[in-house]
Amino acid sequence: MTRTPLDSPSAQEDKSLIVAIRSGDYDAFTLLYNKYIQPLTQYGLKFITDLPAVEDCLHDVFVWLWANRQRLDLHTSVKSYLFKAVRTTMMHWLQKQNRLRGLNPGDEQGYLFELQLTPETRVLHNENQRQVRQQIESVLSTLTAKQKEVIYLRYYEGLNFEEIARNMNLTVKACYKLMGRAISILREKIPGSLVLFIILLLLFV
């Protein structure tokens, strides 16, 4: 899991990069891009499985970031800011597709968020392990998109609940409620819940 508290070396490095980017340092911009492009791509692919479309959305985010560099005034971590920007861009893309299909353009309730075990856990060595994997994946499929997203942002990307709430346009209380309900579902449906639950949270991709 990736943890980036505001006072971590990674977060401090990000702040330094933003200061340099504001002054027009394109090398600093490239460093920030290279640092986050992979996790942001993985996040985008949770919403849609069209890699070229995700790459186009990320391109728009970073083009906007560079074009507006002198006006950047971040009140959260750089990582949280980028994830919020990507989510907003992905939602706009989805809403545009919905408009083309004649669906409600303002409805976030119908969005999908794919959450799977890592590739390593898909190749297990005996039948019992395969059954465990199948059971976990079956339980995952019962969670709502928002429940999956809260779990992903908290346990895989290490965002705090305030950052998650800002990212998802929810209250902190709503995020806690989503997490609590998701945990209850997992514990109810996975035998030996404590051990498997910990494994589950550690193995998202």
Side-chain angles (χ1 to χ4, degrees), residues 120-175:
E120 291 80 3
T121 63
R122 296 173 193 163
V123 184
L124 297 172
H125 301 297
N126 58 55
E127 182 62 29
N128 185 54
Q129 289 174 324
R130 285 194 292 273
Q131 290 176 355
V132 168
R133 174 183 58 76
Q134 291 169 357
Q135 186 174 21
I136 291 173
E137 291 181 338
S138 176
V139 173
L140 277 177
S141 69
T142 69
L143 300 179
T144 68
K146 288 186 184 295
Q147 287 170 342
K148 294 174 186 177
E149 189 174 1
V150 168
I151 289 177
Y152 181 81
L153 292 173
R154 180 72 186 108
Y155 289 101
Y156 186 77
E157 292 300 339
L159 301 187
N160 61 44
F161 280 99
E162 289 76 14
E163 291 171 328
I164 294 170
R166 190 180 300 110
N167 183 289
M168 297 179 64
N169 300 315
L170 299 171
T171 64
V172 173
K173 182 178 180 180
C175 288

Side-chain angles (χ1 to χ4, degrees), residues 52-71:
V54 171
E55 291 174 339
D56 286 344
C57 289
L58 295 182
H59 176 266
D60 290 345
V61 167
F62 280 98
V63 166
W64 185 94
L65 185 70
W66 178 253
N68 294 273
R69 61 190 179 278
Q70 294 180 335
R71 297 191 288 119

Side-chain angles (χ1 to χ4, degrees), residues 193-204:
S193 59
L194 181 59
V195 175
L196 292 181
F197 181 61
I198 292 173
I199 293 174
L200 179 62
L201 294 181
L202 290 174
L203 295 179
F204 289 136

Side-chain angles (χ1 to χ4, degrees), residues 112-124:
L112 299 177
F113 193 86
E114 295 298 327
L115 199 55
Q116 298 175 324
L117 300 179
T118 59
E120 291 80 3
T121 63
R122 296 173 193 163
V123 184
L124 297 172

Side-chain angles (χ1 to χ4, degrees), residues 36-46 48 51 54-55 58 86:
Y36 284 109
I37 190 61
Q38 183 174 356
L40 292 174
T41 299
Q42 291 300 318
Y43 184 49
L45 287 170
K46 304 300 180 187
I48 60 172
L51 179 58
V54 171
E55 291 174 339
L58 295 182
V86 168

Side-chain angles (χ1 to χ4, degrees), residues 19 29 77 109 155 175:
V19 170
F29 177 75
S77 70
Q109 299 301 315
Y155 289 101
C175 288

